[in-house]
Amino acid sequence: MKLTRRNFLAWAGIGAVGAVACEGFGIRYGELDIQSPVRLPEDLVRGTDNWYASLCRVCPSCEGIVVRVMEGRAKKVQGNPFFPTNQGKSHARCESGLQALYHPDRIPSPLRRSGPRGSGQFLPVSWQPNGIDSLRSALQARGSSSVMITEPLRGHLGLLASRFASAIGGEQLGFESLDNNTYRAAVKNVFQQDNLPDFDLENSKFILSFGADFLSTWISPTRFNRGYGEFRQGEHRDRGMFYQIDSRFSMTAASADKWLPVRPGWEGHIALSLAQVIVAENLQATGVNVDALVGGAAGTQALNNFRPELVAPMAGLTSEMTGGDPVEFLKNLARSFAKTRPAVAIGGGSAGATDNGLFNLEAIYALNYLVGSVGVEGGVTLNPGSPWDNVPAAGKVGSLADWTRITEQIRSGQTKMLMLHGADPVHGLPESLRLRDAIAQAEDLFVVSFSPFLDDTSAMADLILPDRVYLEDWGDDISEPGPGYQTIGMQQPVVNPLADLDPLSFPDVLLTMAQELGKESQLPWSNFKSMLREGSDALFALNRGSIDAASADDFWNRLLQRGGWWDEKSTGPTKVQAPNGLLRSIAEKASDPEFSGIGIDSDSYYLVPFSHNTLLDGYNGHLPWLQSAPDPLTTVTWQTWVELGDSTAEKLDVKEGDIIRVESSKDSIRAVAYISPAVPPDVVSIPLGQGRQHGSDYATDRPGSESSNVMDILETTQVKGTGSLAWAGTRVRLFKTGESVSISKLEGDTRAEEIGTTPGEEIIKTIKPENH
């Protein structure tokens, strides 16, 4: 009988085929032989454990992990000590992979909608023929007007999803609530690179960060935490200096030597004021062609418009914040940054999330050229591309402009099919975009979700075909950012799905559909594992890197055993010439931030949303371990809170635990008041992650617990030049509701207090950085 891809899908549920054990914890290196069981029986009893290397998919940065398996059950997840980006460290999020695997609310089998769209009413159906045939029929009728929305995809799954969408005439886009497109554009414009850079924090002596909460949620926090630990406590070196310029007192700000609260949107002006001082006082690094970088006399004149005397009052800097004259503070900061080398300037997060965010980030990263920190130890490390031809090292992620266009296409009937995987855009986009309404009212739209859990978008689906979770499936990833050299991570199935679950692998379903739709020429692989094996054989043919093997089969086993492949000699460029007149170009296109909706007055506040330390944008909201993990600063769990300064709380006559109505021009939400002296008087902050309407009880609104989605009140302002959501560009008003609840936090009744300061030393701190 011919082995069709449909036959393969029917047999794929038998076991986790080809998992390879690695040398793990509690085991001497080299002690274990490679084991390749065809199947891990449910009743396997050995009395010993196996460790399997894989990748964490709870974290967007895809850390290398090892999983302890006993008797066919995954018991423990921890960092892979071999993997270059995290080197054995892991984020709290990684541990929760076990809860995703054994979650009681996993969708056990395919579902077909049985009630009104969005009601969450479904009936179970079989994979074959009902589920697969329904998907094939929908693709045949609507594939050419389809949109596939996924998590940001890299590696072979990124290639497969992109090729599949192209083969059927559709479109594929990655989704992030707080996308990094503006950051990517700044990297492209300043460094001429398509790949995100790494920052050599461990060898730096001065870190200057603008808005990037890189120790909590920004880009690759586990890697940055490891480097930051060396920066602070590395052997045979002095303790580095760290400044954080940020409108919110984040986990990263709490770890800094000095935190400078700044009005949202003015980070680029401050960066150019530092550049102006460095140029005016001739403090640039040896060998830097200042005249070419600045753009001659015209560039110098443009920079003079950003003298500290002009910028300090615009950015809202006061003597109370800076411990003295704000102008002298900026000048001294510029001098320290220029003279303490190697130094590195980092920008991201809220600094790129106002309408002038691209200007802000370009100004920040241009500072690295002035102090000679591009492509050197302790500075900005540029990354190489993919070791494979045509396999993407970065995912294509949609901007707010893209999602606005797709929403209109759904309304007009131009888009007739949505396919969803690893994305919840109904929850993760501003409510004022009305994507939920557009899907609900589109009578000719067919929605297919491949989610293993119900969420706000999959609740709108006509058909749900549950995917396996990552501990049950194959995959790979190209680390982004990499550690400065080519790095590939491998994901392998370490356990079988439980007997009462019947998920199928998303990439294998796509390959089956490609065969049945006659698209095998574009997607020729029999299954996703064979596609990955082809990639392994290509790496073997390169004859370089971390794996020394005599044959392609041996290479494949070692690749799985180690959890990846990397080549420390295949580095990114070390010498990058700054574009001529870079600083002049940035200075001449500078713009002040604009805030639509509620105007700037004494009764309104800057709203600075932020990703939850463990829930992120709500992607992990169904995992109770991550719901109950305390926020690093407030220690709040399970709730949506709003951070208020002492002066704001006094003005509103609010105490901790009071429920506040937070109102923008778009809508309003409710949140529990958390009062701290570290919140600037004209700023309020609210975490993302809560407020789901559908799905697991752990993710949806719970009685007695305020759970709101801050995306519901954001303005749909776009970042100029990228079309991304300017998520830090909203003004709000606050109102007491007269209601109060007990705030769910671990710090008890002890509140954060401002510690004593002397002029020129740290500003507002709740925890001394050396004890953080």
Side-chain angles (χ1 to χ4, degrees):
M1 181 180 70
K2 179 184 178 182
L3 178 60
T4 66
R5 293 178 184 172
R6 183 176 284 226
N7 296 146
F8 175 82
L9 278 183
W11 297 338
I14 292 176
V17 181
V20 177
C22 69
E23 288 91 354
F25 291 82
I27 305 169
R28 293 194 305 273
Y29 176 76
E31 185 173 335
L32 280 183
D33 293 329
I34 294 174
Q35 303 174 51
S36 301
V38 173
R39 184 177 181 186
L40 294 175
E42 297 291 342
D43 59 349
L44 180 67
V45 178
R46 292 185 182 178
T48 59
D49 54 5
N50 286 327
W51 291 87
Y52 295 91
S54 192
L55 291 174
C56 173
R57 297 294 186 172
V58 184
C59 304
S61 54
C62 292
E63 300 168 14
I65 57 173
V66 289
V67 185
R68 180 175 178 245
V69 178
M70 292 189 69
E71 302 178 2
R73 294 287 186 269
K75 301 288 188 179
K76 171 70 175 174
V77 176
Q78 48 194 83
N80 182 348
F82 300 134
F83 203 70
T85 58
N86 56 303
Q87 298 182 20
K89 310 301 181 183
S90 63
H91 198 281
R93 294 190 291 264
C94 294
E95 295 280 354
S96 68
L98 298 178
Q99 281 201 321
L101 179 64
Y102 299 122
H103 202 294
D105 295 330
R106 280 185 65 176
I107 299 173
S109 64
L111 301 175
R112 178 180 290 278
R113 178 167 62 88
S114 60
R117 178 171 284 163
S119 65
Q121 299 174 17
F122 296 92
L123 289 176
V125 297
S126 63
W127 276 100
Q128 298 192 41
N130 298 332
I132 294 297
D133 284 350
S134 296
L135 177 60
R136 186 194 64 243
S137 297
L139 288 168
Q140 288 173 332
R142 307 160 186 267
S144 60
S145 56
S146 66
V147 175
M148 180 188 293
I149 304 175
T150 68
E151 70 275 35
L153 295 177
R154 303 181 289 263
H156 283 86
L157 184 53
L159 175 63
L160 173 56
S162 176
R163 279 198 184 180
F164 181 84
S166 177
I168 64 174
E171 178 181 8
Q172 184 261 328
L173 278 177
F175 176 76
E176 292 175 313
S177 292
L178 310 183
D179 71 67
N180 289 300
N181 290 341
T182 301
Y183 173 45
R184 291 182 184 278
V187 168
K188 179 68 173 178
N189 295 345
V190 175
F191 302 124
Q192 302 93 56
Q193 299 295 306
D194 293 318
N195 303 298
L196 297 184
D198 188 29
F199 303 105
D200 189 12
L201 303 183
E202 51 263 57
N203 292 306
S204 183
K205 293 185 178 179
F206 198 112
I207 300 174
L208 179 60
S209 171
F210 295 76
D213 193 6
F214 62 82
L215 296 181
S216 179
T217 57
W218 188 70
I219 303 296
S220 187
T222 301
R223 172 160 181 77
F224 295 148
N225 268 279
R226 189 196 58 76
Y228 179 77
E230 293 297 321
F231 168 79
R232 285 302 200 198
Q233 301 173 9
E235 296 181 1
H236 312 299
R237 58 162 292 154
D238 296 331
R239 185 178 186 275
M241 177 62 70
F242 173 28
Y243 279 68
Q244 177 78 1
I245 298 175
D246 200 340
S247 51
R248 176 178 174 261
F249 188 68
S250 63
M251 178 176 170
T252 305
S255 303
D257 294 288
K258 302 180 188 293
W259 167 54
L260 183 64
V262 61
R263 288 175 181 161
W266 293 93
E267 296 86 354
H269 293 74
I270 291 179
L272 288 185
S273 75
L274 303 181
Q276 191 275 332
V277 173
I278 293 171
V279 171
E281 298 185 7
N282 201 31
L283 300 175
Q284 70 276 0
T286 303
V288 174
N289 187 339
V290 174
D291 191 60
L293 181 61
V294 172
T300 301
Q301 181 59 43
L303 274 185
N304 286 338
N305 294 327
F306 296 89
R307 298 188 308 277
E309 293 85 353
L310 302 176
V311 169
M314 291 191 296
L317 304 185
T318 65
S319 59
E320 182 181 3
M321 294 178 181
T322 59
D325 181 8
V327 173
E328 285 303 311
F329 179 92
L330 290 179
K331 290 181 177 179
N332 289 331
L333 174 57
R335 294 162 185 154
S336 297
F337 178 68
K339 293 178 180 179
T340 311
R341 298 176 188 150
V344 61
I346 303 171
S350 59
T354 49
D355 70 317
N356 64 341
L358 182 58
F359 152 70
N360 290 336
L361 296 189
E362 288 179 355
I364 292 163
Y365 284 106
L367 288 172
N368 291 290
Y369 282 117
L370 274 177
V371 297
S373 293
V374 181
V376 301
E377 185 178 86
V380 179
T381 303
L382 303 178
N383 273 301
S386 170
W388 294 300
D389 293 336
N390 302 321
V391 178
K396 180 182 178 183
V397 176
S399 65
L400 180 62
D402 290 315
W403 303 123
T404 302
R405 170 180 57 82
I406 288 171
T407 301
E408 290 303 318
Q409 289 175 188
I410 294 172
R411 283 198 185 98
S412 66
Q414 184 178 346
T415 293
K416 298 183 183 300
M417 184 175 183
L418 284 181
M419 290 176 282
L420 302 154
H421 180 270
D424 188 5
V426 167
H427 178 268
L429 287 171
E431 175 64 23
S432 57
L433 204 62
R434 302 301 181 198
L435 176 61
R436 187 194 306 268
D437 293 343
I439 295 174
Q441 295 166 11
E443 297 180 358
D444 197 33
L445 179 71
F446 192 81
V447 182
V448 182
S449 171
F450 296 90
S451 174
F453 297 94
L454 196 66
D455 56 38
D456 283 3
T457 311
S458 59
M460 310 289 291
D462 298 283
L463 182 67
I464 300 179
L465 303 176
D467 186 19
R468 292 186 169 196
V469 300
Y470 69 93
L471 293 177
E472 303 165 338
D473 208 359
W474 294 97
D476 70 350
D477 185 58
I478 300 175
S479 294
E480 190 187 37
Y485 49 87
Q486 289 180 333
T487 301
I488 304 297
M490 288 299 300
Q491 170 193 319
Q492 60 177 326
V494 301
V495 294
N496 293 322
L498 294 176
D500 58 347
L501 298 175
D502 187 25
L504 287 182
S505 170
F506 169 65
D508 285 336
V509 171
L510 293 186
L511 288 170
T512 298
M513 288 297 100
Q515 183 185 55
E516 299 196 1
L517 295 172
K519 306 297 182 181
E520 284 184 284
S521 60
Q522 293 102 313
L523 296 106
W525 304 278
S526 59
N527 55 64
F528 190 48
K529 182 185 176 184
S530 68
M531 186 181 186
L532 296 176
R533 177 58 194 263
E534 182 181 285
S536 171
D537 292 349
L539 291 179
F540 172 70
L542 294 176
N543 195 29
R544 59 180 173 87
S546 58
I547 298 177
D548 185 15
S551 67
D553 288 343
D554 187 26
F555 185 93
W556 170 251
N557 278 337
R558 292 179 183 274
L559 180 68
L560 297 179
Q561 185 184 37
R562 277 296 185 94
W565 169 95
W566 39 92
D567 184 2
E568 296 183 23
K569 296 181 180 179
S570 182
T571 61
T574 56
K575 294 183 179 180
V576 175
Q577 186 68 36
N580 283 335
L582 175 64
L583 285 173
R584 175 185 175 182
S585 172
I586 295 171
E588 289 180 344
K589 68 180 181 183
S591 62
D592 298 347
E594 296 181 1
F595 296 83
S596 57
I598 294 176
I600 298 177
D601 56 42
S602 60
D603 293 324
S604 65
Y605 303 85
Y606 296 103
L607 173 62
V608 182
F610 60 97
S611 291
H612 193 283
N613 185 57
T614 52
L615 304 182
L616 300 175
D617 62 351
Y619 178 77
N620 299 322
H622 58 290
L623 301 174
W625 279 353
L626 302 187
Q627 286 277 5
S628 60
D631 176 73
L633 291 182
T634 65
T635 74
V636 176
T637 64
W638 291 99
Q639 294 172 322
T640 300
W641 69 95
V642 53
E643 297 173 359
L644 308 175
D646 284 342
S647 60
T648 303
E650 182 178 354
K651 177 181 177 181
L652 297 174
D653 189 25
V654 166
K655 65 181 185 302
E656 184 178 282
D658 286 351
I659 297 176
I660 304 298
R661 181 164 60 88
V662 186
E663 181 182 282
S664 72
S665 70
K666 299 297 184 183
D667 205 343
S668 66
I669 61 171
R670 290 156 54 97
V672 182
Y674 179 88
I675 302 167
S676 168
V679 180
D682 54 353
V683 169
V684 297
S685 298
I686 301 176
L688 283 79
Q690 303 285 9
R692 279 200 197 168
Q693 297 183 22
H694 296 275
S696 170
D697 289 343
Y698 301 112
T700 53
D701 194 11
R702 297 163 293 276
S705 175
E706 293 300 320
S707 177
S708 300
N709 184 5
V710 69
M711 300 297 291
D712 290 349
I713 61 174
L714 294 191
E715 306 285 346
T716 51
T717 306
Q718 297 182 13
V719 178
K720 288 178 284 190
T722 68
S724 293
L725 174 65
W727 49 265
T730 298
R731 298 276 298 185
V732 296
R733 291 193 171 92
L734 308 178
F735 301 93
K736 287 182 63 174
T737 64
E739 303 172 57
S740 296
V741 296
S742 295
I743 193 166
S744 175
K745 63 175 185 174
L746 270 68
E747 69 178 8
D749 295 331
T750 302
R751 73 185 299 272
E753 295 290 348
E754 182 178 355
I755 66 173
T757 60
T758 57
E761 295 187 349
E762 65 260 50
I763 322 252
I764 298 174
K765 307 289 289 187
T766 57
I767 305 173
K768 294 183 179 179
E770 61 268 25
N771 296 327
H772 183 67

